[in-house]
Amino acid sequence: MRTFILFVRRFFNLILFLALEIVCIMLIARTKTLQGTDIVSSANTVSGLMYKKQNDVVNYFGLRKMNDSLINENAHLRAMLSLSHSYDTLKDIIIRKGLDKADSGHVVHYAEYVYRTARVVNNSISAANNYVTINRGSDDGVNRNMAVISGSGIVGRVVHVSSHFASILSVLSVKQQVSAKLKDGTIGYITWDGERPDVMVMRDVPQQIKVKAGDSVFTTSYSFFPPDIMIGTVFKTETVKKNNLQLLYLKPSTDFRDLQYVYVVENKSDPERKQLEDSVKTKP
Amino acid sequence: MNLYVKNFLKFALIVLLQVLILNKIVLRWWPEPSGFPLFIPNIYPLYILLLPFETPVWALLMLGFAMGITVDAFMNTAGIHAFATVLIAYLRTNVLNALMPRNLSDYINQSPSIKNMGWMPFLVYSSFLILLHHLIFFTIELWNFSNVSYLLLKVLASALTSMLFVIVYLLLFTKQNATR
């Protein structure tokens, strides 16, 4: 016992050093997978509040850009609305077609999405796994694994929630993949290689599919994102000789440098779907 | 001012500088990187480098861990900053011993600084530890060895920029000696 105490006293610094490093490694190891939860995150009250205070000041410098993006989004939505209703949306005509519940011929509710707006209080683009902090938390109904989109494209997935803040793992992350499709319905998935924030890669597209530069890529209903949301446009294609699949290089349609407001999307039918899928998985 | 209060305030100042200013630079600056890595200059290791000479190693380690975890909480890196900072906090004493002419316990009430060490030894001391810190940090963060040149470029660019900010910080916040 005496020698043990002497040993500890002699190598106390080394032991403390190793202990702290092991604690760090354990913290890091928890976050290497998508399922892992990090104990320290910017959704905590102190750092969230600090970021919010800073954003309150800086926010004003981007108002012009924000107005432009809102106008563009409104124009886009008006165009979509006029397509589905063939009414001039500039006139104040609101039509409400009552849903006929007795009509079993078509499915009324496929998915019910709830959109919540949130302001981005912190953002990063230079790390290997980038996170966005928003000023909405569990008090506002934001939960883990909800999708987050911006007016122009996809942003990421909520990974951490406190009562007033949430941190979002951005799609600019080496550990997150998003299912994607081309206009003709070809399915692939999107990854990010951790280098440039303006380049993402779509994989698993068969060689015979003709893709031109400028083609758009959208989300599918397989992922946690709502379907048919723009991801980006192709600017370069490359064929891998080894497996005859194409790599499509995309420019994301979301401007990750300039995120100011985002929508948190809640899929009302998601718990039911997840329960069903899990019950299938656990069957022997 | 009390040494503890002073160092606590310095802790807060450096964290705020790092998190609220330096982390934001990359968002506004440099719109099209075209292959060159984006990076954030890190000056928070400077806090560990500037603690007084006679700080015991266990205190260095604990402060390094606290600093790292604080920055981790702000940047969502879950322990990577803490890992790198604890490492340089442990090695600090050895590097200082190698660089200083006398025993470290002879420097009472002094901190490593350009004034106390001279330009060259201080730059060697800080650039070595900061480079090591960045190397460890980015290696763990990226954890992908398919593109080593990219990793090294990122480490070098980030460490050089950090050193630039360290020197600016020192020139701004070093008290000018009135007695000539």
Side-chain angles (χ1 to χ4, degrees):
Chain A
M1 196 60 205
R2 204 178 111 83
T3 46
F4 177 71
I5 292 171
L6 278 178
F7 175 82
V8 168
R9 278 185 58 173
R10 179 157 156 63
F11 292 105
F12 178 68
N13 288 332
L14 186 65
I15 291 169
L16 181 67
F17 167 67
L18 290 177
L20 287 177
E21 294 292 52
I22 287 169
V23 170
C24 292
I25 290 172
M26 274 158 58
L27 285 175
I28 296 167
R30 289 174 70 98
T31 59
K32 277 294 168 193
T33 57
L34 201 56
Q35 284 75 31
T37 49
D38 30 357
I39 298 171
V40 282
S41 98
S42 70
N44 73 56
T45 317
V46 180
S47 51
L49 202 66
M50 209 104 97
Y51 279 137
K52 187 170 174 296
K53 287 277 176 254
Q54 189 231 20
N55 188 260
D56 285 344
V57 177
V58 184
N59 198 18
Y60 293 100
F61 297 107
L63 283 183
R64 178 192 287 266
K65 251 187 183 163
M66 201 162 68
N67 279 342
D68 287 350
S69 71
L70 281 178
I71 283 290
N72 284 338
E73 195 189 342
N74 274 348
H76 177 67
L77 292 177
R78 273 189 196 285
M80 269 171 39
L81 209 62
S82 65
L83 273 181
S84 63
H85 285 332
S86 71
Y87 276 99
D88 187 355
T89 51
L90 283 173
K91 289 178 189 146
D92 283 340
I93 301 172
I94 302 170
I95 48 153
R96 288 246 163 75
K97 236 174 97 179
L99 289 171
D100 190 0
K101 290 272 164 66
D103 177 15
S104 57
H106 66 271
V107 180
V108 181
H109 292 286
Y110 170 65
E112 228 175 41
Y113 294 105
V114 180
Y115 289 77
R116 293 182 175 85
T117 57
R119 196 170 90 204
V120 172
V121 294
N122 181 48
N123 184 9
S124 77
I125 53 170
S126 61
N129 292 299
N130 291 293
Y131 288 83
V132 177
T133 313
I134 57 171
N135 68 340
R136 293 254 187 264
S138 54
D139 283 5
D140 309 292
V142 175
N143 276 320
R144 277 194 68 173
N145 290 329
M146 284 184 182
V148 178
I149 63 175
S150 74
S152 49
I154 60 172
V155 175
R157 170 209 297 263
V158 177
V159 287
H160 219 95
V161 185
S162 71
S163 53
H164 294 103
F165 299 97
S167 65
I168 297 155
L169 182 63
S170 145
V171 282
L172 298 183
S173 154
V174 292
K175 64 182 179 189
Q176 180 159 262
Q177 298 173 351
V178 179
S179 162
K181 68 181 176 199
L182 291 164
K183 219 177 232 157
D184 61 355
T186 314
I187 303 281
Y189 64 94
I190 302 272
T191 58
W192 187 60
D193 57 5
E195 295 183 5
R196 295 174 58 180
D198 51 354
V199 179
M200 293 200 288
V201 187
M202 181 170 175
R203 293 167 196 275
D204 268 13
V205 178
Q207 197 185 18
Q208 67 272 19
I209 304 289
K210 293 267 186 302
V211 184
K212 292 193 303 292
D215 282 3
S216 305
V217 175
F218 302 92
T219 55
T220 68
S221 48
Y222 302 162
S223 67
F224 58 97
F225 283 110
D228 299 316
I229 289 182
M230 179 97 159
I231 296 176
T233 48
V234 178
F235 68 86
K236 200 173 87 183
T237 62
E238 189 185 303
T239 309
V240 184
K241 285 267 162 56
K242 209 162 51 182
N243 50 10
N244 287 336
L245 292 173
Q246 288 188 84
L247 293 182
L248 311 182
Y249 291 89
L250 312 180
K251 185 182 184 333
S253 57
T254 307
D255 185 1
F256 286 96
R257 279 167 198 280
D258 224 44
L259 283 180
Q260 296 201 13
Y261 282 87
V262 292
Y263 304 101
V264 182
V265 188
E266 180 183 356
N267 186 348
K268 286 275 193 190
S269 64
D270 203 40
E272 191 184 330
R273 170 178 155 184
K274 197 149 270 157
Q275 196 189 354
L276 182 71
E277 286 174 357
D278 286 350
S279 72
V280 171
K281 255 179 234 161
T282 49
K283 284 258 171 65
Chain B
M1 213 185 328
N2 187 339
L3 188 72
Y4 295 100
V5 178
K6 202 167 143 189
N7 271 307
F8 177 76
L9 287 179
K10 199 189 248 173
F11 186 101
L13 173 72
I14 288 185
V15 169
L16 289 182
L17 269 179
Q18 176 70 50
V19 169
L20 298 185
I21 297 173
L22 292 184
N23 283 3
K24 304 289 176 179
I25 288 178
V26 74
L27 290 174
R28 301 279 163 231
W29 180 51
W30 212 356
E32 287 301 325
S34 64
F36 198 78
L38 287 170
F39 58 85
I40 288 172
N42 290 317
I43 65 154
Y44 73 90
L46 187 65
Y47 177 71
I48 302 301
L49 302 187
L50 290 185
L51 286 169
F53 281 118
E54 71 262 37
T55 319
V57 177
W58 64 266
L60 283 174
L61 290 173
M62 293 311 285
L63 283 171
F65 186 73
M67 186 52 134
I69 281 291
T70 313
V71 176
D72 276 326
F74 276 101
M75 288 158 76
N76 282 300
T77 39
I80 310 181
H81 282 293
F83 187 91
T85 317
V86 168
L87 184 74
I88 65 162
Y90 186 69
L91 292 179
R92 188 193 106 133
T93 322
N94 302 354
V95 177
L96 275 177
N97 267 327
L99 280 170
M100 299 301 282
R102 279 183 289 159
N103 209 335
L104 281 193
S105 50
D106 296 347
Y107 300 89
I108 303 152
N109 288 334
Q110 287 187 21
S111 305
S113 71
I114 293 170
K115 199 177 69 193
N116 290 340
M117 294 173 72
W119 272 95
M120 222 34 223
F122 186 80
L123 284 186
V124 171
Y125 159 67
S126 51
S127 54
F128 174 73
L129 287 180
I130 285 185
L131 190 65
L132 186 70
H133 174 275
H134 282 62
L135 184 67
I136 299 295
F137 174 75
F138 286 118
T139 310
I140 299 180
E141 193 205 20
L142 213 52
W143 205 248
N144 173 8
F145 301 99
S146 61
N147 200 346
V148 176
S149 61
Y150 175 86
L151 176 69
L152 290 181
L153 193 63
K154 191 163 181 171
V155 170
L156 269 185
S158 182
L160 278 178
T161 323
S162 303
M163 273 312 290
L164 201 71
F165 277 99
V166 163
I167 292 168
V168 169
Y169 177 92
L170 289 174
L171 293 178
L172 279 177
F173 292 99
T174 309
K175 221 179 277 170
Q176 296 301 320
N177 212 346
T179 56
R180 302 195 175 202

